[in-house]
Amino acid sequence: MSTTDDRTLSTQPAPPDGGAGGPVTLPRLGPVGWLRFVWRQLTSMRTALFLLLLLAVGAIPGSTFPQRSIDAARTAQWISDHPSAGPLLDRLGFFEVYASPWFAAIYLLLFVSLIGCVVPRSRIHWHQLRARPPRAPRRLDRLPAHREEVVDGSPDEVRDRLRTALRGRRYRVHAHDDSTLSAEKGYLKETGNLVFHLALIGVLVGVGWGHLLGWKGDVIVPVGKTFANTLGGYDTFSPGPWVDPTDLSPYTIRLDTMDVAFETEDKGAGQFGMPRDFRATTTFTGPDGRAEQREIAVNHPLETGGGTVFLLGNGYAPRVTVRDADGTAIYTSATPFLAQDNNYTSVGAIKVPGARPDDLGFAGFFLPTGVIDDERGPHSVFPDTLDPQLALTAFSGNLLPGGRPQSVYTLDTAAMKPLPGKDGADQLRILLRPGETFELPGGRGSITFDGVERFAGFSIRTDPGKTLTLVSALLALAGLVLSLVVRRRRVFVRVRPDETTGRTVVSVGGLAKDDDEGMDDEVAAVLTGPEGTR
Amino acid sequence: MTDYTLAQLSNYSVYSAMVVLTLAMLAHGLYLARIVPARESASTREEAPARELVAAGVGSEGSAASAEGAGGATADAVEAEPRSARKAAGIARMLTLLGTLLLVAGVVLRAAEVHRWPLGNMYEFAIVGAMFTLLAYVGWSTRRDLRWLGLFVVGPVLLVLGAATTVWYTDASELMPSLRSYWLAIHVTVATMTVAVFTLGAALGILYLVQDRLEASDAPPRSFMGRLPSARALERMTYGAHIIAFPMWTFTVIAGAIWARQAWGSYWNWDPKEVWSFVIWVVYAAYLHARATTGWKRQNAVWIALGGFVCVVLNFAVVNLFLVGMHSYSGL
Ligand code: HEM
């Protein structure tokens, strides 16, 4: 694009120096001048390009380093595995790339640049939409596409025919004088381009809105239990900064059944035991008190009106009864154990605070299809309950030293002592199958493995920005297609009488934005098409 | 027919496609070898000493010849293609068509075998992607003469098929629950088609950069490149492929986000596959930007597009296998 604005049909704002490659003079800039200079730099296409590439590069570390918001445990593990690089990278935000100040700086600058670029362009385009096509240049033969012919008819007749031809090809036509026509079409290209860029701002706003006003909470619900949508009902709850977490819609969800299917045929590498179907049947009781049976499955979330319920996990909750020395049950519950691998080798803890003489705690594994060998210890070899086993160690002491908050899936043994084994081993090992009972040493009572329930891991989320984001994204797509498919073209016509033959010399020149292979054909078609000169 | 026989048939079909495509590749290569301008091969023999002298000078003659000849438009370069070249091209075309049909059959049989859309693991992505690439090439060839492009399409396709059948091969199986959705058919199909178009775009981009070098240098076109479209035309075709692919990729990302909301609860999770899809989108956006930026060289813009293609390849070959995320569907 080395030629002037008029000839290239450019819709870009002119570069700061007007595009001329003249000698560079450096005027003395006052503070306002500097601001203006910085603003012009920021809103130039080159800067946008640079920031786009920077954004791409900046996004990559988030895929190669574990991210805290996605997998906090793996992130902590990585940092402790790399004692020198870990903390440094942590400080630089490499484990929270998409929330880090430098990533935000890139995309915010990009969007400032975008606004600074698109607003003036929209204004120009708005004026162009209502303006007439510009006057024909004096020398049409200098335009990239040009044809000249001598045809029958008077200049006025020829001009009228061409006007009709151009209109037929959906040009906007205007005659600035008696011997020329100026025609332009393809305004939708720039419109589409502007819609695309503006819609990107809509996407960003939608994402931000969802972040500020959305929330998500996770909860594990064993079969037969009911979840109530209150802050206390959740295992974890992460609200956006502007969310009032006491203002949740009062509904309950009872998990009636949890159906799970796994691949049982060995169809090739890695497929045996793969999950095939997860389906939770629930009783949903809305705020109005009406109860209905609803199914929640992967890819089929439940819309509640106050958050969408997704089935994101499942696992096993062994039902265990702990009795004291007199045989009174002091603990009866289905306790969720969390799956650690694809075969649902699950870990968990059973906490019995009311036992005597001290609190009792059990920690260990639940194995749906258990195998215990020396090499790998207790593990499961299939995700379904073909041979369920509970492998536990027992502790006594104080379960809640100092009342610190702790995870329900692990035992804090800081103030506890392991119960010793029978034959002098320093650790008691308990292995139970459903229905079996183990007598604890020292008159502490017994533990019975009654059976296994499944649990469902629900994630309940709201995102008030998602509609805006989706609509903007689709608008952006539509704008993009227009911008890339539509061609912006100008055609100029000049007629003059041919003195010698009494016919008319007609000269047609065409000009397109970008290089447009079809412009020659377009000019030819205008000249010779159905309404043209022949 | 049992699924087992279908599986065998599908595999045989893919293998025979590979054999046929190998022959097609040879024929395409032969075509290019035969269209090397005859005048040049003669002149290099006779005028070799003379040219050295000229080259020692400024070499203005040579550059003039090359600038015109590269477009394939000079009077003597327009001389008809040798008959043997035309024959090779005809054979290449038939073989490519046959290989494409065999690959289509392989994919259809695979789908019949697994009773679902055949896009559930890496092997299937690869063979379907290869199929779309060939279909795009064959389809486009009906509209313009693309015989010169054949080698650069069939070659990469064979490479992908080779990797698919050896490293990525997975026996047919059902889908994981999160993949059971009609969005699989929409999102993954469009993604695979887009990759096919990006592949054509990258092949054209590389040819453009080579052609551009040759046109800029003083050496007369001594290779088949002299018969290829001019650098300017190649650059336009590169752009043409990308402006088809870019909106398709935009759609892929949007559709993926809609599906992610259904399957994972949130439309964007910065899972590695999502990160890379985003990076690809941004890099190609930068390409389109660069091409429209006043004062940016077309060559540099095309380099950005090729960078985008490197990201596409990484997204498939590396992210699926080595980065931990929720898109763990490689089946390996
Ligand atoms: C979020 C960042 C941005 C993205 C993803 C983006 C993407 C794109 C894409 C894909 C195109 C190609 C459409 C076409 O060729 O018609 C384009 C064109 C364009 N962009 Fe952007 N853009 C961004 C920011 C900006 C900024 C900051 C500016 C201004 C400095 C800008 C100015 C333009 C202009 C003027 C065109 C039209 C080029 C032409 O005349 O063909 N864009 N943009």
Side-chain angles (χ1 to χ4, degrees), chain A residues 43-45 48 113-114 117 121 193 196-197 483 513, chain B residues 246 289 292:
Chain A
T43 54
S44 76
M45 283 279 279
S113 166
L114 182 62
C117 181
R121 272 176 65 200
N193 191 289
F196 168 73
H197 283 89
S483 157
K513 183 170 155 49
Chain B
F246 185 73
H289 244 223

Side-chain angles (χ1 to χ4, degrees), chain A residues 12 49 52 59 63 70 98 207 271 274-276 298-299 303 308 310 312 461 463 469 473 477 480 514-515 517, chain B residues 173-178 180 236 254 259 261-263 265-267 269-270 275-276 282 286 292 294 296 323:
Chain A
Q12 295 171 33
L49 179 56
L52 272 174
S63 72
I70 297 171
Y98 309 107
V207 171
Q271 294 299 329
M274 289 299 265
R276 290 301 174 226
V298 179
N299 275 317
E303 300 290 347
T308 312
F310 298 90
L312 290 193
R461 305 174 180 220
D463 182 349
T469 307
L477 179 58
L480 182 67
D514 246 16
D515 51 4
E517 268 181 319
Chain B
S173 60
E174 285 182 48
L175 292 176
M176 323 230 307
S178 53
R180 291 218 197 139
R236 270 196 197 141
I254 296 175
W259 187 14
R261 155 108 195 342
Q262 276 204 0
S266 163
Y267 63 79
N269 302 283
W270 292 112
V275 173
W276 280 89
V282 172
T294 334
W296 251 67
L323 297 185

Side-chain angles (χ1 to χ4, degrees), chain A residues 483-502:
Chain A
S483 157
L484 294 173
V485 169
V486 174
R487 292 177 181 285
R488 183 90 176 257
R489 286 169 168 171
R490 279 185 191 156
V491 171
F492 300 102
V493 175
R494 174 163 287 127
V495 288
R496 67 181 147 86
D498 185 2
E499 310 296 335
T500 49
T501 60

